[in-house]
Amino acid sequence: MGITYQQSGVDIDAANLLIKRIRDPVAKTNRQEILTELGGFASLATLPTKYKQPVLVCGTDGVGTKVELAIEYDRHEVIGQDLVAMCVNDILVYRAEPLLFLDYFATAKLDVDIAERVIIGIADACKQVGCALAGGETAELPGLYAPNIYDLAGFCVGVVEKETLDDRSTVQIGDTLLGLASDGPHSNGYSLIRKLLQEHKAPAPIIEELLTPTRLYGPTVLNVANLTTGMAHITGGGLIENPPRMLTEELAIELKPNVWEQPESFEWINAKGQLEPIEMMRTFNCGIGFVIATRQEDSARVKAEMEAQGERVYTIGRVVARDAKPHPDSILLTK
């Protein structure tokens, strides 16, 4: 008998078993637009009929080295929601309704039980935001990944009405900035966090917060999207680099860093890492996971509506001219 593919490290039977196990959880995310079932070569979907001129909004992302913590603490479902949120929150910036999601799971040797837990987490998050988990790919790559390690990537397709994009009000001087609270670091800054964890023992509540998945802002934000002038998902680059992405060159943001309550994990990170304030805000979301710009006269209504849906919302700043002098307790952010 010659060598088999399984002997070289790739188990096709394990991959087939995984597909059987996840078929039901994936099916629960289905939408009427999805035309194919799990296991095909590709996923087919029609566009929702409610759109006159649908525009596709696409996003892709991973979860970074937070996956190392998920593996270490056996919290694989958590990382599934992180993957969905990192992609869906990005397309939300354009007011896009998430339509379908694809995942990529790569490992040295497939552990069906762990992969199933990860994908169930992905499916649960997709269901929360009304997005179909339309397909994915599982790759065994012996020799490329270390034993018992896996990595994830996701791809999301959303839809928005072209008229909505064309008619959208732009950010202007005087607009109010509303910050939606995060549940912790979400999925950014974990290379630094892991370095600190190697050097310092963290109490159980801090570990729990570090493992809390990225918050899914879509269902709340889409309900007030018509009253927004700009949005920013606070990911890599933190509060320093992400909010200015909604601005034109002549505008700036006057950010008030001390008006919201930060999760305890950031206090622990700051105490153990002794980061400079700007470095801290450039690496982490520091308690604000999503930012919305709205006209000053609409801000109270938008804030109240999001709070009624369970979000913690803070007025964190305003849009000013690029050459404006900020208040002493504020930071001026430019594009």
Side-chain angles (χ1 to χ4, degrees):
M1 294 286 291
I3 191 170
T4 66
Y5 204 13
Q6 186 173 11
Q7 289 170 335
S8 70
V10 179
D11 190 344
I12 296 175
D13 292 334
N16 290 335
L17 176 60
L18 176 62
I19 291 175
K20 289 181 181 179
R21 286 198 188 180
I22 64 174
R23 192 175 296 279
D24 287 345
V26 170
K28 291 178 182 178
T29 72
N30 206 16
R31 294 175 51 128
Q32 63 181 4
E33 294 87 0
I34 305 302
L35 303 178
T36 48
E37 295 183 355
L38 194 66
F41 287 100
S43 301
L44 306 180
T46 61
L47 292 173
T49 57
K50 65 182 179 180
Y51 294 97
K52 296 177 182 178
Q53 288 184 286
V55 174
L56 298 181
V57 185
C58 306
T60 186
D61 212 333
V63 294
T65 58
K66 186 176 181 178
V67 71
E68 294 273 9
L69 261 66
I71 293 169
E72 180 179 353
Y73 289 94
D74 193 33
R75 296 288 293 275
H76 305 286
E77 294 85 356
V78 163
I79 214 72
Q81 177 168 324
D82 275 305
L83 184 67
V84 174
M86 291 297 284
C87 297
V88 171
N89 289 346
D90 274 356
I91 70 167
L92 178 61
V93 168
Y94 297 95
R95 300 180 178 178
E97 170 195 2
L99 173 62
L100 61 86
F101 191 87
L102 303 171
D103 69 272
Y104 176 80
F105 181 101
T107 186
K109 180 175 175 57
L110 181 62
D111 184 317
V112 175
D113 292 334
I114 288 177
E116 179 185 12
R117 291 169 62 191
V118 172
I119 296 171
I120 285 175
I122 293 171
D124 287 346
C126 284
K127 190 174 180 181
Q128 288 182 58
V129 297
C131 182
L133 179 51
E137 174 69 11
T138 303
E140 281 189 295
L141 304 171
L144 183 59
Y145 287 95
N148 304 315
I149 296 296
Y150 62 84
D151 194 17
L152 295 171
F155 181 80
C156 183
V157 177
V159 190
V160 66
E161 189 70 71
K162 186 176 186 298
E163 184 180 9
T164 299
L165 294 176
D166 293 341
D167 293 346
R168 183 173 185 168
S169 300
T170 56
V171 178
Q172 67 182 27
I173 293 173
D175 282 0
T176 299
L177 292 184
L178 300 176
L180 281 66
S182 71
D183 289 332
H186 284 177
S187 294
N188 294 103
Y190 277 82
S191 293
L192 191 155
I193 288 170
R194 288 171 46 249
K195 179 176 173 60
L196 294 178
L197 288 173
Q198 290 169 3
E199 300 171 355
H200 307 279
K201 181 175 175 59
I206 299 300
I207 295 294
E208 190 64 29
E209 202 168 272
L210 295 176
L211 286 166
T212 302
T214 305
R215 194 168 179 84
L216 296 159
Y217 294 107
T220 302
V221 171
L222 284 176
N223 285 335
V224 297
N226 63 316
L227 295 174
T228 65
T229 58
M231 303 186 201
H233 182 202
I234 310 305
T235 55
L239 282 167
I240 299 298
E241 295 189 3
N242 285 294
R245 293 164 72 176
M246 70 175 79
L247 303 177
T248 54
E249 294 292 341
E250 68 274 11
L251 299 177
I253 286 172
E254 185 181 67
L255 182 69
K256 297 181 178 180
N258 300 316
V259 298
W260 67 86
E261 183 180 349
Q262 290 194 22
E264 291 183 10
S265 57
F266 294 116
E267 297 178 11
W268 182 85
I269 291 167
N270 211 6
K272 300 305 180 184
Q274 296 293 299
L275 280 71
E276 293 293 331
I278 294 298
E279 180 66 16
M280 186 76 186
M281 295 181 69
R282 194 180 182 212
T283 306
F284 300 102
N285 66 58
C286 294
I288 298 296
F290 203 87
V291 174
I292 287 175
T294 184
R295 296 287 187 251
Q296 187 176 3
E297 61 269 23
D298 294 326
S299 62
R301 174 185 168 187
V302 171
K303 185 173 184 290
E305 289 191 17
M306 290 192 294
E307 287 175 337
Q309 296 175 73
E311 296 292 348
R312 290 163 292 148
V313 186
Y314 303 90
T315 302
I316 63 171
R318 60 181 183 141
V319 178
V320 298
R322 187 182 179 91
D323 57 358
K325 184 177 181 181
H327 292 289
D329 62 344
S330 300
I331 300 171
L332 194 69
L333 306 178
T334 58
K335 191 170 185 178

